[in-house]
Amino acid sequence: MCRLEDIVPNTGVCALVRRRQIAIFRLEGDSVYAIDNHDPFSGANVLARGIVGDLKGELVVASPVYKQHFSLVSGRCVEDAAVQIPVYRARVEDGFVFVEISEVATTCCYCGIGCGVLASVSGDTITAVRGDPAHPANFGRLCTKGLSLHKADPSFRALFPEMHGQRKTWDEPLRFLAARFGKTIAEHGPDSVGFYVSGQFLTEDYYVFNKLAKGLIGTNNIDTNSRLCMASAVAGYKQTLGADAPPACYEDVDSAECLFITGSNTAWAHPVLFRRIEQAKPKHLIVVDPRKTETARSATLHLQIAPGTDVALFNGMLHVMLREGWCDESYIRRHTENFESAGQVASEASLERTAAVCGVPEKHIYEAAKIFSRSKATLSLYCQGLNQSSSGTAKNAALINLHLASGQIGKPGAGPFSLTGQPNAMGGREVGGMANLLSAHRDLGNEKHRREVAELWGVEEVPSKPGKTAVEMFEAVRAGEIKIVWIACTNPAQSLPDQKLVHEALERAELVIVQDAYRNTETAAYADVFLPAAGWGEKEGTMTNSERRVSRVRAAVRPPGEALPDWRIAVEFSQKLSLPGKKSDLLSYEKPEDIFNEHRETTRGRDLDITGLSYALLDERGPQQWPFPENAREGKKRLYEDGVFPTASGRARFVPTPYRAVAEEVDARYPLGLTTGRLRDQWHTMSRTGTIAGLFAHEPEPRVTMHPEDLSRAQINDGDLVQVLSRRGHIYLQAAADPDLMRGVVFIPMHWGARFLGGESRRGVNELTLAALDPSSRQPEFKHCAVRVESAQLPWRLVAFGNSRDVFSLVSRLELLMGAAPYAVRTLIGRDSPGVRFAIAAEKAPQEKILEEIDAIFGLDAPEAARYDDSKHNIGRRILLEGNTVRAVRLSGDTRSEPWLKDLWERAAPVGELRRYLLLPVETPPGLPALRGRTVCNCFNVSEREIDAFLAESNSITALQASLKCGTNCGSCLPELRRKVSFAQTPEAGAPPLTAAKV
């Protein structure tokens, strides 16, 4: 980095290392230390200018801004142990200072885009991440979630095996499980056990668990949370094209004249791909979505259909294409079959009828059909809006019918391209890790396929009886049919629909095994046996992304505590399991590469043949697409370019898809349709992202959004607390007005489970949703159920927030209080110095001991805490200062002051002249600076207020980015920034942004 003599003893210098500022310090005796230059409290890169010295025997540097001390050895903040900055190895050699930072190339563990990640490692810690410029899925881009991979709080991790809540060695639970499995199988048969696994598994993990269940134990009761994600896409591909193989690739985005996005808020669910779409600037961007999402706002044509009417729309578009002569008759004649059957259904879907069913103008349907069929190349992108439906397979097939009818497949820029929701749902399908599949896209119902797999595995047979799919498995557990359930790397006690059913199943099960990297998930609470698993950055293997591209996943650090890779846990268990007539050494793998090589052999001659791939080739040449058979020079970018399909006839099949309404229609009692979806900065059940305070900043707490007229009709104001009820249960949360929603439709993000949204039942948003299944894919209908929304009638409110030296401890101590009132919310707040916000609401004030417990948890029982009590009106206030800044707050009975007090806390701003108002119930004290408001740009911590203030003076997005830097890093906020700029330019043409919910 520099010469040692260039650094004055007992001072520091700043060096730029791989685009990161690092503070290097030289102490007496010429010892050198290196830490990150970024001060998390002030947000400034200033630590190199701090004073170094000895503080109670520990070498520290004092920040020149707020004077916090950071250890030069561990990076921990002396004043707040919950805050830690990266530390790097430094040494002196031949008079020069060297800083050691290694980068490990691996793959992101979130959505199915499969972004390459370079993880910087120092010692045993991943200190930073950046996108891998060489990875063809993302070319160096990462979204806010990907850029926060290294920020997950390690204190939430599972560290050791447990039985009934007691710590054990690995040998004890594995021997117990082997004996219990053997006894249960002997008494009730192999179908008395079940495995529920995950699209977040690596391919090697998936392969071992699938072989354990179907090959060793002899049950097909293994399914995966991919059933909730991609099952309808799989069924749609197989029914029409003959194989579960997305025919397009990301490169097709660059050459598509028309992009047709349906059932996907790509801007938030797959932001890196959306950046590529924005860069490609297709001539036509048609978006089909019941909500006016950030994706829909970017569209040249938005079809805002009624929920669940996708099949009607696609049939109507095919009707127009037939009527206008826009079908590719030559392609249909040479490469397809059964066109007449699909055409007959479409002939009944007149333009008038389609418009009436879908709730969109006839001219928009006509225009969509024209653009889709007449464009030089049309690429459709779709996700859960099609899949999570009781008619999800029909939706997929009806869309593919449009591609076949117009010849929009098998050429650059064209094809039906399903976007995978999870990082390795594709890999799980490849190894057959679902109840109805076998290795290498073989079908369980095919006797020849079962014989092939049995021979490959060296077992007598693979059972023919179909296994239980996701929802059906938990129905069987509740009924006592399945006695033992092993849940790995997933959180069904939050993610499955109809949570009452799931919780009852877990309560009644004879034995629940939970294998996870995180100990505090909703499902982990039911674990009789808990097995700690390695997480992202800690294990080796492969994953396959949405475009059939196999990437290496590499370990950057060791797993914490006693955690093991998922495949290793299954192997260790299998070697202790003794079943009559079964080989105990069936899973004799020493390393992940052994598993990959066996999986590779099962693909020989199949549509996904990867016999030409190896770890060595992937390490040398990078990620590759399948098929990649032996002796091939490269994989295939896109499929079916020759018009030949993997069906018996070699032709693609049109599938007739009559329109069927949603499984649960609205009525007088439940007049609103609930749809669920993703937030920009959270992922799935938030096991990982929910430990990162900064990822809450864009959407800080659970809310239901509704059209203003629906709010008015229910006599509810924007920001009021409401009760949302379905036929299965109810939850309380805040209401927010969204004029861009359709009337009669409400939206709740899918992520909020019992860890964040407490109250009476504590089952989260999926207490409301419906377990109606698609008849082909068995995927449940998350995207629509009937609800009503009422005022909560919970006038007494409490909010408390603050930080702690251990956020995990603070969260854990609040656990018992999450059921203390009908409404309870617990979320993380802050950024580099995280804290917790806890809020409850009830009909009347709770017992005093509840308030005392809350005060004790937040340290507000300290003698120095300022206090105010009005027992007559049940109003209380507690404020704890640390120096001249707010450390913790509790407001009860009157919470109007929360916004400005929380703003002071988050900015660590001096209280100053506002001190006199701390105990007064004032909503806006005199002299209060403008509040920051919601964070829009997470990369640079830019708030909505800052953006709006800038746009009041200038409406140029280029100037905005130059001034505030928002949207210049990951780009996840760009769609929202463009919307704001557009509104600033022509306010009468757009809707105002969502207002922040009231306290």
Side-chain angles (χ1 to χ4, degrees), residues 830-995:
R831 192 171 174 86
D832 296 313
S833 180
V836 177
R837 178 185 182 271
F838 177 66
I840 59 176
E843 291 183 39
K844 60 182 181 180
Q847 296 179 356
E848 187 65 26
K849 66 178 183 180
I850 297 291
L851 303 183
E852 291 173 354
E853 191 171 348
I854 293 170
D855 289 346
I857 290 171
F858 283 95
L860 291 161
D861 56 349
E864 62 269 27
R867 306 164 60 93
Y868 169 81
D869 288 295
D870 177 353
S871 57
K872 181 179 178 180
H873 298 96
N874 291 312
I875 292 174
R877 301 168 74 83
R878 301 288 185 274
I879 312 286
L880 178 64
L881 298 181
E882 189 170 62
N884 198 32
T885 61
V886 175
R887 169 138 191 167
V889 171
R890 188 260 286 175
L891 308 173
S892 54
D894 186 331
T895 60
R896 286 176 295 168
S897 302
E898 188 202 359
W900 66 270
L901 287 170
K902 185 162 159 284
D903 188 71
L904 286 175
W905 180 89
E906 288 182 327
R907 292 189 292 112
V911 172
E913 294 300 316
L914 296 173
R915 182 183 293 265
R916 72 185 73 176
Y917 300 103
L918 293 179
L919 292 178
L920 298 179
V922 292
E923 189 168 356
T924 309
L928 178 72
L931 303 183
R932 273 180 49 81
R934 187 173 60 95
T935 298
V936 173
C937 175
N938 222 318
C939 295
F940 295 106
N941 196 26
V942 183
S943 72
E944 192 165 42
R945 184 198 64 80
E946 293 170 292
I947 293 167
D948 290 344
F950 183 89
L951 292 178
E953 303 297 328
S954 169
N955 55 21
S956 162
I957 193 166
T958 303
L960 174 67
Q961 290 178 294
S963 176
L964 301 181
K965 298 178 71 174
C966 49
T968 61
N969 191 29
C970 79
S972 295
C973 62
L974 274 172
E976 188 169 355
L977 296 179
R978 291 195 178 100
R979 169 167 60 91
K980 283 181 167 293
V981 169
S982 176
F983 180 72
Q985 292 170 341
T986 54
E988 68 282 354
L994 291 181
T995 56

Side-chain angles (χ1 to χ4, degrees), residues 153-158 517-520 687 690-691 807-808 811-812 828:
D153 189 336
S155 61
F156 289 86
R157 291 294 302 275
Y518 289 87
R519 185 63 183 89
N520 69 322
S687 302
T691 74
V807 170
F808 172 75
V811 169
S812 300
L828 301 189

Side-chain angles (χ1 to χ4, degrees), residues 106-107 112-117 131-141 249-254 272-273 276 417 545 547-552 618 621-625 637:
T106 186
T107 307
I113 297 303
C115 295
V117 176
D132 186 348
H135 199 292
N138 60 314
F139 296 111
R141 297 185 183 96
C249 60
Y250 300 151
E251 190 177 295
D252 287 321
V253 167
D254 306 328
V272 169
L273 180 62
R276 187 163 185 165
F417 193 180
N545 70 0
E547 64 168 353
R548 299 172 280 104
R549 189 176 296 278
V550 181
S551 294
R552 283 279 279 117
L618 292 171
R621 295 173 52 184
Q624 301 294 323
Q625 288 175 280
K637 288 182 181 179

Side-chain angles (χ1 to χ4, degrees), residues 28 34 48 58 62 352 392 405 435 632 686 783 819 911:
E28 295 291 350
E58 186 169 16
E352 297 79 10
M686 300 165 63
K783 290 301 180 184
V911 172

Side-chain angles (χ1 to χ4, degrees), residues 789-824:
V789 179
E790 302 172 347
S791 177
Q793 303 300 316
L794 301 174
W796 187 88
R797 309 290 172 87
L798 176 147
V799 63
F801 58 86
N803 58 342
S804 165
R805 303 199 186 283
D806 180 0
V807 170
F808 172 75
S809 175
L810 189 56
V811 169
S812 300
R813 292 176 67 192
L814 287 167
E815 178 63 24
L816 292 177
L817 294 170
M818 287 292 281
Y823 168 80

Side-chain angles (χ1 to χ4, degrees), residues 683-707:
W683 199 73
H684 283 207
T685 69
M686 300 165 63
S687 302
R688 185 183 186 93
T689 58
T691 74
I692 305 170
L695 293 182
F696 286 80
H698 186 249
E699 187 70 20
E701 60 186 296
R703 298 192 300 173
V704 54
T705 49
M706 305 173 60
H707 192 278

Side-chain angles (χ1 to χ4, degrees), residues 12 66 97 160 173 289 318 351 443 456 461 528 531 537 590 654 687 690 695 699 703 840 877 895 897 918 921:
Y66 295 134
V97 177
F160 46 79
D289 200 305
L318 183 56
L351 197 54
D443 285 320
L456 287 163
E461 64 175 2
D528 298 304
L531 306 174
E590 294 297 325
F654 280 91
S687 302
L695 293 182
E699 187 70 20
R703 298 192 300 173
I840 59 176
R877 301 168 74 83
T895 60
S897 302
L918 293 179

Side-chain angles (χ1 to χ4, degrees), residues 641-696:
E641 291 179 298
D642 57 1
V644 178
F645 296 84
T647 62
S649 64
R651 293 171 174 265
R653 294 186 292 256
F654 280 91
V655 174
T657 55
Y659 165 68
R660 293 181 177 85
V662 293
E664 185 177 76
E665 297 189 77
V666 299
D667 57 22
R669 190 177 176 200
Y670 297 98
L672 301 171
L674 167 66
T675 188
T676 61
R678 298 175 187 267
L679 294 175
R680 190 192 73 184
D681 294 349
Q682 299 291 356
W683 199 73
H684 283 207
T685 69
M686 300 165 63
S687 302
R688 185 183 186 93
T689 58
T691 74
I692 305 170
L695 293 182
F696 286 80

